[in-house]
Amino acid sequence: MICKPDISLRKATIQDAELLFRWANDETVRRNSFSSRRIEWDEHLNWFKRVLNDEDVYQYILMNKDVPIGQIRLTVNESEAEIGYSIDSAYRGKGFGSVMLKMAEEMLGRERPDVDRIVGRVKPENKASLAVFEGLGYTEEFRQMVFVRENTFQG
């Protein structure tokens, strides 16, 4: 069981760039992301600097005492916030995803009371994230299927 006094969320800083880069390129994270290709360092660093300077993006690091164990990003667009999150591979399956999402919801409520809807986009095969969202009372609106054909049809 998770001892909540040891768990906290802190705002991400530029010093987290390498940690977030490593987490973003984790094999399971890439497989569960809508874009599964490996992320290059320069691309990540440019993206992360934009995130840190965007007043509508809230990027947090989940800490267990002094150990970073996950990240969550809430991107606000008008009155809706979209969630993106991941947990370090050493801490998956221990309930940290649910704790982190709940804490992020509370922080967002304090910082952005104008947000009245939070959305998580999850691949249907990502059973762990589906369970987290469902366990917190999120409801499924629809499932989306994406059809792709590799470039074998050109001359």
Side-chain angles (χ1 to χ4, degrees):
M1 187 66 188
I2 297 171
C3 182
K4 192 167 179 160
D6 293 338
I7 305 299
S8 63
L9 274 184
R10 65 166 176 79
K11 286 193 175 193
T13 68
I14 194 64
Q15 287 76 29
D16 296 309
E18 286 184 44
L19 173 66
L20 292 171
F21 177 69
R22 190 176 76 243
W23 283 344
N25 279 312
D26 173 90
E27 183 180 324
T28 301
V29 171
R30 295 290 9 111
R31 185 173 50 251
N32 287 321
S33 296
F34 288 98
S35 174
S36 57
R37 69 171 180 74
R38 180 169 169 67
I39 300 167
E40 299 299 324
W41 170 251
D42 289 341
E43 173 188 7
H44 169 75
L45 190 56
N46 289 331
W47 167 84
F48 189 51
K49 286 177 181 177
R50 284 192 309 273
V51 163
L52 291 176
N53 290 311
D54 189 332
E55 64 185 27
D56 290 325
V57 180
Y58 299 82
Q59 177 74 59
Y60 299 107
I61 305 294
L62 183 68
M63 303 293 292
N64 185 6
K65 296 183 182 175
D66 295 331
V67 179
I69 58 174
Q71 65 82 29
I72 189 164
R73 184 179 56 263
L74 299 122
T75 304
V76 177
N77 185 5
E78 296 180 8
S79 64
E80 181 175 285
E82 184 171 336
I83 293 174
Y85 80 98
S86 63
I87 301 290
D88 185 287
S89 61
Y91 296 93
R92 291 181 190 142
K94 299 179 183 342
F96 288 111
S98 295
V99 170
M100 181 170 59
L101 262 68
K102 190 66 181 154
M103 292 174 79
E105 287 175 2
E106 292 167 4
M107 290 184 96
L108 186 67
R110 287 190 300 273
E111 294 190 34
R112 290 296 295 265
D114 57 311
V115 171
D116 58 17
R117 180 176 155 97
I118 302 175
V119 176
R121 300 188 196 289
V122 181
K123 285 183 172 180
E125 61 270 21
N126 186 348
K127 305 295 185 204
S129 281
L130 289 172
V132 167
F133 283 109
E134 289 170 353
L136 290 174
Y138 285 70
T139 57
E140 180 180 323
E141 282 191 354
F142 66 91
R143 290 197 182 201
Q144 178 179 357
M145 299 300 294
V146 177
F147 296 89
V148 177
R149 181 172 177 177
E150 297 302 320
N151 192 2
T152 59
F153 47 85
Q154 289 186 349

